Amino acid sequence: MSALLKVDGLHVAYGRVEAVQGASLSVAPGTIATVIGANGAGKTTLLAALMGLLPSKGAIAFEGADLTRTTAEERVGLGISLVPEQRDLFSAMTVSENLELGAFRRGRREIPERLDEVYQLFPRLKERRRQEAGTLSGGERQMLAMGRALMARPRLLMLDEPSLGLAPLIVRDILSTVSRLRETGVSILLVEQNARAALRVADTAYVMELGQITLTGTADEIAANPRVSEIYLGGA
Ligand code: ATP
């Protein structure tokens, strides 16, 4: 099966600091690929470059087409959405207003249908649709950030540390929603420091260390790797 996203030899630098040094990875259609790694490994930088928010060198192909010269907005139009680590919500706007912003490229006519789909996936957001985003819990904010990205009807959803700052039960909830999304045909690139949670839902896994992908395999293979177990899974 040909890859939905294929990245070859990606380099991203902040001035002289090379945060991503020749990373290669791919996401197959209808699967979850995860990139695990410690704080500062370059995971957020990788996603920002794939979204077109940072300049990069190397090849990025989406459905076989070269993305190198496309802007972030064009990438959204092609079907790529990013849920950033900071979640970037508009606190003084309601849940439904935040969601509607995610569909701005698709035109107003599609909004009710998209909202219905997001509310089906996250019934909690429906209950809270008239509430200001600033009043939501951490888990609800993560759901809203994901819901907003889904309003653009992406083929590839990139998630930057969705588990960050959330209690284990909520992390489980969020990741089970990610699995359900895969069943609806959305492919996922999941970046996580929480390796244990990420490896549980992913099909393919990459370990990133100091800007490089140092291990690649199925999620089961990576979880069974002794070094991964020692460094990222607490020796379990
Ligand atoms: P985290 O889990 O903390 O987000 P990460 O794996 O996503 O970590 P990055 O945030 O991509 O890592 O950072 C990779 C490297 O790039 C780090 O050494 C970091 O200090 C550096 N870096 C990140 N952002 C900038 C920036 N805006 N300017 C300069 N250096 C940066």
Side-chain angles (χ1 to χ4, degrees), residues 11 28 44 46 52 82 84 148 182 197 199 201 211 219 222 225 235:
H11 287 261
T44 297
L46 169 72
L82 170 66
R148 190 180 50 186
R182 167 179 51 191
L199 291 172
V201 295
I222 296 293
N225 180 293

Side-chain angles (χ1 to χ4, degrees), residues 96 99-100 103 106-120 126 129 151 153:
S96 65
L99 288 174
E100 287 177 23
R106 304 202 68 95
R108 295 206 67 80
R109 267 190 315 137
E110 276 193 39
I111 287 180
E113 189 191 329
R114 300 300 301 145
L115 273 177
D116 268 357
E117 286 177 30
V118 169
Y119 288 148
Q120 263 177 38
K126 185 171 189 183
R129 63 189 180 279
M151 290 292 288
R153 187 163 252 165

Side-chain angles (χ1 to χ4, degrees), residues 146-163:
M146 284 171 66
R148 190 180 50 186
L150 290 170
M151 290 292 288
R153 187 163 252 165
R155 318 261 330 270
L156 176 70
L157 184 68
M158 302 196 293
L159 298 164
D160 195 355
E161 304 231 16
S163 79

Side-chain angles (χ1 to χ4, degrees), residues 148-224:
R148 190 180 50 186
L150 290 170
M151 290 292 288
R153 187 163 252 165
R155 318 261 330 270
L156 176 70
L157 184 68
M158 302 196 293
L159 298 164
D160 195 355
E161 304 231 16
S163 79
L164 193 76
L166 303 180
L169 270 181
I170 318 264
V171 170
R172 190 166 295 196
D173 214 32
I174 297 272
L175 291 180
S176 83
T177 309
V178 172
S179 295
R180 266 163 55 218
L181 265 178
R182 167 179 51 191
E183 283 155 30
T184 70
V186 180
S187 308
I188 288 140
L189 182 57
L190 169 67
V191 155
E192 265 297 342
Q193 269 189 66
N194 185 342
R196 190 183 299 277
L199 291 172
R200 215 178 278 137
V201 295
D203 301 293
T204 318
Y206 298 89
V207 176
M208 192 166 195
E209 296 173 300
L210 300 174
Q212 298 182 334
I213 303 283
T214 51
L215 278 174
T216 305
T218 65
D220 291 342
E221 284 165 359
I222 296 293

Side-chain angles (χ1 to χ4, degrees), residues 64-128:
D66 177 26
L67 283 193
T68 323
R69 287 176 211 291
T70 54
T71 63
E73 204 190 339
E74 287 163 344
R75 292 182 202 194
V76 175
L78 290 169
I80 304 177
S81 281
L82 170 66
V83 182
E85 192 176 332
Q86 308 77 7
R87 297 163 198 172
D88 291 345
L89 302 169
F90 293 92
S91 302
M93 291 170 70
T94 65
V95 166
S96 65
E97 286 165 348
N98 269 278
L99 288 174
E100 287 177 23
L101 285 177
F104 77 98
R105 278 189 65 94
R106 304 202 68 95
R108 295 206 67 80
R109 267 190 315 137
E110 276 193 39
I111 287 180
E113 189 191 329
R114 300 300 301 145
L115 273 177
D116 268 357
E117 286 177 30
V118 169
Y119 288 148
Q120 263 177 38
L121 203 59
F122 298 108
R124 194 59 170 263
L125 293 182
K126 185 171 189 183
E127 286 165 29
R128 312 215 170 232

